[in-house]
Amino acid sequence: MSNRYAVILAAGQGTRMKSKLYKVLHPVCGKPMVQHVVDQVSSLGFDEKVAVVGFGAEIVQEQLGDQVSYVVQEEQLGTGHAVMQAADILENKEGTTVVLCGDTPLLTAETIDQLLSCHANEGAKATILTAVADDPTGYGRIIRNDDGLVARIVEHKDATEEERATKEINTGTYCFDNAALFAALKQVGNDNAQGEYYLPDVIEILKNNGETISAYQTPSFDETIGVNDRVALAQAESILKRRVNEYWMKQGVTIVDSNNTYISTDAKIGRDTVLLPGTIIQGATTIGEDCQIGPHSEFKDSQIGNNTVIKHSVVYNSEVGDNVNIGPFAHIRPDSLIGDDARIGNFVETKKATIGKGSKASHLSYIGDAEIGDNVNFSCGAVTVNYDGKNKYKTKIDDGAFIGCNANLIAPVTIGKNALVAAGSTITDDVPGESLSIARARQTNKPDYLKKK
């Protein structure tokens, strides 16, 4: 379907959040609320997406980039006034416009699509997304006539006690004939308790003009939650976490403790992988099949291969191959590449390092700005000394080399193929292949030194 537009309301400061962070940028499952909304809309292929921004506009634009067009609502004069700011972009276009709130991170593309279908099937000028709330306090109420059709929407502040008893609520998401929307907005007044221009007043204007008004009632109230404070933020986090975890369990992933496992909406996980308690998977992380992940491990924007085990460890912005064993208590920092069959053990840290196939750093080592070949043994306490206080330098270790315990490799330096660096050495010069390098002071013993002293 062509000629479809979206207006995303993201101008409210969100004073009830009591935060320095712009409201719609508060994360739910690791992603800003407004980004969730934009992602769902984008998956439906709208012709134009317009974000209405206000306070903190630059920060929202930094987050969303060129995914949407922007208009600014300088004064917060209500939802109707907010949509009017999009007039320069949309007013003269034919088609269908969906209006959504940037603080509804649980709304799905499927529900938006159902709203659009209902609107088209009923030939309506406006269609309201509604839901039934156990506690409708604070929501606008859907008031229906004797035939069950939508008569009007009444904001909670302006509703009578009888109207407040209604549990069907306006979710704040609408579908409009675009031309009818902007024509009606010009007639909206602000004679109400808040002195604001309410978008729901468009419904009454269109109805009085004899236009068809429809409503699509979503079966899931949870999807429609608007996040206005930290309590609602925690509620949204819990709902989305459960939704994501249940999805992956249905795809063949074992989650031992769903209440204590956190998975990004952008993550991908292979079948027969087991996630143990305390696992946190952020960003666009991909985990392969037959892995064992956790307990208490954290990942961000990383790729993990098949049949890999990672325990009590952190992996950020890195790539880990197949059949790798990491942890416990390893830290894989950004731009690391851990090859197949490698072993990164307890209290090992890598940063901007390539670890070749079958290589091992089993304990207590730092490997930074390094290129490690295949089947290299990096013994306990060995360190690549990559930083001189001003610049960083690379260490290169060729295939089959053996780095002894507590060796310091002072970069820039190259250790040749199958070379052996003796334990306790401080290496400042290149080591040729097939060579033994010893760089430590000669031991001197002083007999009876303490007795004499």
Side-chain angles (χ1 to χ4, degrees):
M1 185 184 297
S2 59
N3 298 329
R4 297 197 306 188
Y5 318 108
V7 176
I8 300 165
L9 306 182
Q13 183 175 357
T15 55
R16 280 181 281 173
M17 297 294 286
K18 293 181 169 48
S19 175
K20 295 182 290 295
L21 183 64
Y22 193 53
K23 182 176 78 165
V24 297
L25 294 178
H26 278 266
V28 175
C29 287
K31 182 188 293 186
M33 290 191 284
V34 70
Q35 187 67 66
H36 282 289
V37 176
V38 170
D39 286 351
Q40 295 301 310
V41 169
S42 297
S43 69
L44 295 173
F46 280 69
D47 297 281
E48 183 86 51
K49 301 183 291 291
V50 181
V52 182
V53 296
F55 178 84
E58 299 82 4
I59 307 174
V60 176
Q61 291 181 35
E62 183 178 335
Q63 169 63 40
L64 299 179
D66 60 2
Q67 299 174 73
V68 299
S69 301
Y70 300 93
V71 294
V72 178
Q73 185 185 23
E74 298 287 355
E75 294 183 84
Q76 307 301 298
L77 298 178
T79 52
H81 179 260
V83 176
M84 273 298 296
Q85 308 314 302
D88 287 346
I89 297 176
L90 298 178
E91 184 174 14
N92 296 318
K93 294 184 178 181
E94 297 294 326
T96 303
T97 295
V98 176
V99 179
L100 313 98
C101 297
D103 61 359
T104 54
L106 303 178
L107 193 62
T108 64
E110 290 77 13
T111 294
I112 299 169
D113 196 43
Q114 289 293 325
L115 176 68
L116 284 160
S117 295
C118 175
H119 181 79
N121 293 340
E122 298 193 17
K125 291 294 183 182
T127 303
I128 309 156
L129 181 65
T130 74
V132 175
D134 292 335
D135 179 7
T137 303
Y139 288 95
R141 305 303 201 277
I142 301 297
I143 307 302
R144 294 182 179 266
N145 60 25
D146 293 338
D147 296 325
L149 302 176
V150 176
R152 64 188 186 281
I153 303 171
V154 182
E155 294 296 319
H156 179 87
K157 302 181 187 70
D158 302 316
T160 65
E161 288 302 316
E162 181 180 358
E163 289 169 337
R164 289 183 180 184
T166 301
K167 291 194 171 184
E168 185 179 16
I169 57 99
N170 172 24
T171 67
T173 298
Y174 309 89
C175 191
F176 294 100
D177 173 90
N178 188 68
L181 167 63
F182 284 98
L185 279 170
K186 295 176 181 178
Q187 303 174 50
V188 172
N190 64 342
D191 184 17
N192 52 60
Q194 297 299 303
E196 295 183 348
Y197 298 88
Y198 292 149
L199 182 60
D201 288 353
V202 168
I203 304 298
E204 188 169 355
I205 291 169
L206 293 176
K207 183 176 179 298
N208 291 340
N209 289 340
E211 304 291 1
T212 299
I213 308 298
S214 64
Y216 172 69
Q217 187 182 104
T218 175
S220 173
F221 171 74
D222 286 348
E223 275 195 38
T224 69
I225 290 173
V227 176
N228 292 310
D229 57 28
R230 307 288 181 134
V231 175
L233 184 67
Q235 185 181 7
E237 178 83 21
S238 178
I239 292 168
L240 187 54
K241 177 169 72 72
R242 183 175 68 247
R243 182 194 296 174
V244 172
N245 288 358
E246 287 178 356
Y247 170 82
W248 285 114
M249 286 187 280
K250 291 175 181 177
Q251 303 306 308
V253 176
T254 295
I255 301 179
V256 174
D257 183 355
S258 184
N259 290 329
N260 291 291
T261 301
Y262 303 83
I263 304 172
S264 160
T265 55
D266 294 328
K268 299 190 183 303
I269 308 170
R271 292 183 302 174
D272 293 315
T273 282
V274 177
L275 305 182
L276 295 170
T279 295
I280 301 173
I281 301 171
Q282 304 178 65
T285 294
T286 299
I287 298 176
E289 297 184 354
D290 301 297
C291 295
Q292 181 174 311
I293 304 298
H296 306 294
S297 294
E298 185 176 342
F299 306 82
K300 184 175 182 180
D301 294 322
S302 296
Q303 288 72 53
I304 313 299
N306 300 317
N307 200 38
T308 286
V309 176
I310 302 178
K311 303 175 181 178
H312 294 282
S313 295
V314 174
V315 181
Y316 269 27
N317 300 92
S318 293
E319 184 175 343
V320 177
D322 298 338
N323 305 302
V324 174
N325 199 307
I326 294 178
F329 313 116
H331 189 183
I332 310 302
R333 290 172 57 194
D335 300 317
S336 292
L337 173 58
I338 313 300
D340 296 345
D341 304 303
R343 161 76 172 137
I344 304 296
N346 50 294
F347 303 104
V348 173
E349 178 180 349
T350 70
K351 189 273 295 184
K352 205 173 184 180
T354 298
I355 311 294
K357 182 177 181 179
S359 291
K360 299 176 182 178
S362 295
H363 18 247
L364 301 166
S365 293
Y366 171 71
I367 307 174
D369 297 284
E371 184 179 321
I372 312 299
D374 296 342
N375 299 308
V376 170
N377 187 85
F378 213 82
S379 299
C380 178
V383 171
T384 60
V385 184
N386 60 331
Y387 184 48
D388 66 0
K390 183 177 180 181
N391 298 304
K392 293 190 176 181
Y393 301 93
K394 177 176 278 192
T395 297
K396 187 175 186 296
I397 304 176
D398 291 336
D399 297 349
F402 186 101
I403 310 301
C405 292
N406 293 314
N408 295 308
L409 309 181
I410 311 298
V413 70
T414 297
I415 311 299
K417 185 174 182 180
N418 296 323
L420 170 60
V421 173
S425 295
T426 295
I427 303 299
T428 58
D429 298 317
D430 291 349
V431 178
E434 311 291 341
S435 299
L436 167 64
S437 182
I438 303 174
R440 57 195 183 205
R442 183 179 299 276
Q443 180 175 327
T444 301
N445 294 332
K446 303 287 186 180
D448 299 324
Y449 175 79
L450 291 179
K451 289 182 180 179
K452 294 177 182 177
K453 190 172 182 179

